[in-house]
Amino acid sequence: QGEGAAERLKAAERNSFEILPFFYASTLSCWLSSGSDVSGFVIFFVLLFVVARIAYVYFYCKDLSYFRRLSWAISVLAPTALMIAALF
């Protein structure tokens, strides 16, 4: 059990590092396109991403695949929404 949890934690860490550039790019592009005025929209999706990633790591370590997939999807959709918002 312990070795499996350690491997899952390493995999969750690797996955978290993989999504960070997308999150940074989407947040930065949304922030730059809106000027210095950071709206509640941006803050909401940034916080949603952070909470979803924390939940993702927790669910990954506990081997709860359904909730892990759900939190992963939310953590991908949040920066996607920011990227789309930067276009308009």
Side-chain angles (χ1 to χ4, degrees):
Q1 172 72 18
E3 193 171 303
E7 290 301 316
R8 286 193 299 273
L9 187 58
K10 287 179 187 176
E13 179 186 38
R14 282 190 303 269
N15 186 272
S16 294
F17 285 132
E18 290 171 359
I19 196 150
L20 279 178
F22 178 53
F23 171 69
Y24 293 152
S26 63
T27 304
L28 185 62
S29 64
C30 194
W31 177 63
L32 290 175
S33 71
S34 67
S36 63
D37 180 34
V38 177
S39 68
F41 176 84
V42 175
I43 294 170
F44 172 77
F45 280 104
V46 167
L47 290 175
L48 182 65
F49 173 83
V50 171
V51 169
R53 290 312 296 182
I54 291 170
Y56 174 81
V57 171
Y58 175 78
F59 295 139
Y60 208 132
C61 290
K62 294 295 183 178
D63 200 21
L64 300 169
S65 63
Y66 175 77
F67 295 110
R68 175 177 56 98
R69 282 179 274 167
L70 181 63
S71 60
W72 178 86
I74 292 169
S75 71
V76 170
L77 290 175
T80 302
L82 290 173
M83 192 66 83
I84 292 170
L87 297 174
F88 298 103

